Amino acid sequence: MSNCVRLAKKVLKLSENQPMGAIQDADTVLADIMGKSDFQVTRISDELLKMYLDVENKDDFESLFFLIADETFEEYLTKSRDVMQKNINYGTPRVVKVILNDGKFSIF
C-alpha cells in the first residue's frame, strides 16, 4: 500500500471524527490551497481537460469534479466552450468592404 493511500485513509478517518464546530478541517485546507492557486498562470483547466481525456474511468472523474465544484463536468465544459467561443468571435478580425459610390463611402 502506497504512502498516499495510507495517508488518505488516515485523513478520511480524522475527517469523520472532527468535533462539531471545528474551524479548520480538510475542506478548509483544500479551499485555502485552491484560493492560493493562480489558475491563469498554472492553466489548471487545461490540465483537468487532459486528465479527463486520458483517464480510464470518466464517471469517477465526473463524480469527483461534481463533489469539488458542485456543478457537473458537462455544465463546466458547456460554460467554458461558450465563453471561449465568444472570446474568439470578438477577437477574430472582420472583413470590411468599402465601396466608393459617387464620392461617398459605404462600409459593409
Side-chain angles (χ1 to χ4, degrees), residues 6 9 15 34 40 54 56 58 71 81 94 96-97 104-105:
R6 282 192 293 277
K9 288 180 178 183
S15 181
M34 298 299 288
Q40 292 180 346
D54 289 342
E56 190 172 312
K58 300 210 182 330
E71 186 168 303
R81 179 203 59 204
R94 306 287 194 268
V96 177
K97 186 175 182 180
K104 295 182 180 178
F105 289 100

Side-chain angles (χ1 to χ4, degrees), residues 50-62:
K50 290 174 188 173
M51 268 190 242
Y52 178 74
L53 294 172
D54 289 342
V55 74
E56 190 172 312
N57 190 331
K58 300 210 182 330
D59 290 338
D60 284 350
F61 183 98
E62 291 174 19

Side-chain angles (χ1 to χ4, degrees), residues 14 17-23:
L14 289 169
N17 292 303
Q18 289 297 292
M20 292 297 287
I23 302 296

